[in-house]
Structures are given as structure tokens and as C-alpha cells.
Amino acid sequence: MKIAIGVKDENLTFFGNAGHTPKFAIYDMNGTGMFRSFKLNSVKNNPRTDIDHNDEDHSCAHDGDDAEHIAQHNKMGVVLDECDYIVVTRACKNTANTMSSHGVKIVKYTGDSTQADAILREVSASFIK
């Protein structure tokens, strides 16, 4: 099973705004229960070119329901197509729609951890094989 999580950089610091994250860390999940583990598979750039990738607090007003804006969101779905889940603190409706159309389920994170691997352990019960 593959899980994506938004990160700022290769230090794997969590970036909760799915649509505006600079990068996605892709993890492989193995095992179950107390034997569940996560291994970093790759770090991929967010392919969107229409945004500031450092604006974690951005909230889309969604005047951007035009075809080009939706196409920019769809680029993320293509990059994450191999994933089963994405962990976020927020995702706008266009991000949610593109993830759904690519079979990627959204898991909301509301805790205080800042490192991707710690967050994955915290939300691991949400991942169903």
C-alpha cells in the first residue's frame, strides 16, 4: 500500500495543505497492527505551476472552477495515481475531486506532529488494506 503526505522538503517536514505543498513524500506501508511499518519510497514535486508552493495557509475561494484551474489540480492526481491514501490537514474541493477520480483516499490529520513519519504512525489506523 502506498501513502502520500505533503512535505516542505527532503527533511520530510509536514505541509498540510495538499494543493499547495511543495512536495509529496510517498511511503510504502507493510505489515499490520503492531507490525505495521512505513518506508520512504520517493519524494515527488507537486506539479502544479499556478500557485505559490509555500502558502500552507491558503484557502481556495474557488473562483477557480475554470478548466485550467481544474487541470492544474488534476496534475497532482496523475503524480499520486499509484497511491492509495494522502494525509492532509486541508484539501479544497478540486483537490478532493482529483484525488477521488484517481482512487486516492484522503485522511485528515489534526495533530501537532511536524514530521511525516510520526504523522503516519499516528493516523495508521485509518489505512485499510
Side-chain angles (χ1 to χ4, degrees), residues 39-109:
K39 181 180 180 196
L40 181 63
N41 176 296
S42 61
V43 176
K44 298 183 177 187
N45 289 324
N46 184 341
R48 288 186 65 187
T49 57
D50 65 329
I51 55 162
D52 174 3
H53 286 292
N54 294 310
D55 188 2
E56 190 166 11
D57 296 322
H58 177 80
S59 290
C60 292
H62 277 291
D63 306 344
D65 285 336
D66 60 277
E68 176 55 29
H69 189 80
I70 292 169
Q72 287 289 326
H73 281 79
N74 287 339
K75 289 178 182 181
M76 293 186 305
V78 171
V79 165
L80 300 178
D81 195 51
E82 67 182 309
C83 296
D84 301 289
Y85 292 93
I86 183 170
V87 179
V88 305
T89 54
R90 73 173 82 193
C92 71
K93 70 177 184 176
N94 286 337
T95 298
N97 288 341
T98 197
M99 293 304 149
S100 178
S101 72
H102 285 272
V104 181
K105 296 167 198 73
I106 294 175
V107 173
K108 185 166 175 83
Y109 178 69

Side-chain angles (χ1 to χ4, degrees), residues 11-53:
N11 292 324
L12 306 178
T13 303
F14 181 55
F15 194 100
N17 188 334
H20 288 257
T21 187
K23 299 179 182 297
F24 297 102
I26 312 299
Y27 285 83
D28 293 315
M29 184 182 85
N30 297 301
T32 59
M34 65 187 255
F35 300 106
R36 185 173 290 159
S37 65
F38 300 93
K39 181 180 180 196
L40 181 63
N41 176 296
S42 61
V43 176
K44 298 183 177 187
N45 289 324
N46 184 341
R48 288 186 65 187
T49 57
D50 65 329
I51 55 162
D52 174 3
H53 286 292

